[in-house]
């Protein structure tokens, strides 16, 4: 079991940037698919980005070229750098982890999830 704890959310104006962090603790050995999801009020949860064990990144179309997912092995921390934010990016951002690759990451259940961090982008 892996425990995930996000931080770094908050209010920001449109066009601004935020860097979310997700610290992993527990049994982090082995290969993992690490990902970020978000959920806006009244909307379904959507995948934002994923990072597979080989370093391959995948992004949802709305965030491609604006968001960057990365992982620091020394700190066991997953990051999501978000640039040029818009009000449509507002939501609760949650990190998730699943052993193995990221096959069909956007449509499957991740057994390890954090509590989430709120991101609010004002016009």
């Amino acid at each position: 079991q892996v425990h995930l704890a996000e931080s770094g959310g908050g209010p920001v104006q449109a066009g601004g940037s935020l860097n979310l962090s997700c610290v992993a603790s527990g049994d982090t050995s082995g290969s993992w698919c690490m990902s970020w999801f978000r959920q806006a009020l009244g909307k379904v949860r959507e995948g934002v980005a994923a990072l597979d064990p080989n370093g391959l990144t995948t992004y949802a179309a709305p965030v491609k070229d604006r968001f960057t997912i990365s992982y620091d092995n020394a700190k066991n921390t997953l990051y999501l750098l978000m640039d040029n934010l818009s009000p449509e990016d507002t939501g609760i951002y949650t990190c998730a982890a699943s052993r193995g690759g990221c096959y069909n990451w956007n449509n499957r259940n991740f057994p390890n999830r954090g509590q989430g961090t709120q991101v609010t982008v004002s016009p």
Side-chain angles (χ1 to χ4, degrees):
Q1 190 75 8
V2 171
H3 180 257
L4 302 171
E6 304 94 338
S7 63
V12 64
Q13 287 190 322
S17 299
L18 282 175
N19 193 18
L20 305 183
S21 300
C22 172
V23 178
S25 59
D27 183 10
T28 60
S29 63
S31 299
W32 294 85
C33 174
M34 304 294 295
S35 62
W36 287 97
F37 290 81
R38 69 184 181 187
Q39 186 166 17
L41 191 63
K43 295 186 177 181
V44 298
R45 187 184 68 218
E46 62 175 348
V48 175
L51 175 64
D52 85 352
N54 296 314
L56 179 67
T57 57
T58 306
Y59 297 94
V63 308
K64 191 173 176 59
D65 298 327
R66 297 189 298 123
F67 290 11
T68 303
I69 188 172
S70 62
Y71 192 82
D72 187 328
N73 285 304
K75 297 181 179 180
N76 282 339
T77 301
L78 179 73
Y79 298 99
L80 184 68
L81 176 60
M82 307 185 294
D83 293 321
N84 193 22
L85 285 160
S86 70
E88 289 71 31
D89 296 314
T90 293
I92 297 175
Y93 284 70
T94 304
C95 65
S98 178
R99 290 192 181 276
C102 288
Y103 175 74
N104 201 30
W105 68 278
N106 204 11
N107 293 296
R108 75 187 206 208
N109 184 44
F110 280 69
N112 304 283
R113 290 183 176 275
Q115 293 298 309
T117 184
Q118 176 72 46
V119 172
T120 304
V121 185
S122 58

